[in-house]
């Protein structure tokens, strides 16, 4: 059936504020992130391997992939910190988000 847990109570009535679900496993989140990141390295720089003699293009793809992942992580951290500051009035840098 539909996932009504976060938005409805046991009787099916709509909640004013959605239920909060704690994260299941931070270790599995990190593992999944590294698996995706490794896959991006296989796809982005790996797709340039057919270009013989253009190692600088491969290196640029690898650097761009690394900077994109790092920028995404830093942006998520600061966005979560900012939204937490607005909601609760205090700053907390939570890497597990």
């Amino acid at each position: 059936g539909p996932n009504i847990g976060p938005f409805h109570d046991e009787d099916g009535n709509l909640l004013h504020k959605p239920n909060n679900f704690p994260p299941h496993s931070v270790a599995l989140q990190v593992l999944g992130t590294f698996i995706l990141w490794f896959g991006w390295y296989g796809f982005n720089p790996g797709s340039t391997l057919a270009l013989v003699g253009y190692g600088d293009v491969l290196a640029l793809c690898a650097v761009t992939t690394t900077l994109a992942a790092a920028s995404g992580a830093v942006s998520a951290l600061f966005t979560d910190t900012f939204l937490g500051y607005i909601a609760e009035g205090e700053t907390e840098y939570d890497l597990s988000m």
Side-chain angles (χ1 to χ4, degrees), residues 62-82:
V63 168
T64 303
T65 300
T66 303
L67 290 177
S71 298
V74 170
S75 297
L77 174 69
F78 284 121
T79 301
D80 183 60
T81 301
F82 180 69

Side-chain angles (χ1 to χ4, degrees), residues 5-53:
F7 306 107
H8 296 82
D9 61 6
E10 294 83 18
D11 298 328
N13 299 323
L14 187 64
L15 296 172
H16 295 289
K17 184 177 176 187
N19 289 330
N20 189 13
F21 285 100
H24 298 286
S25 174
V26 176
L28 289 178
Q29 286 177 325
V30 171
L31 179 64
T33 301
F34 281 121
I35 290 171
L36 280 173
W37 198 6
F38 185 73
W40 288 328
Y41 278 113
F43 178 75
N44 291 343
S47 63
T48 61
L49 288 176
L51 301 173
V52 177

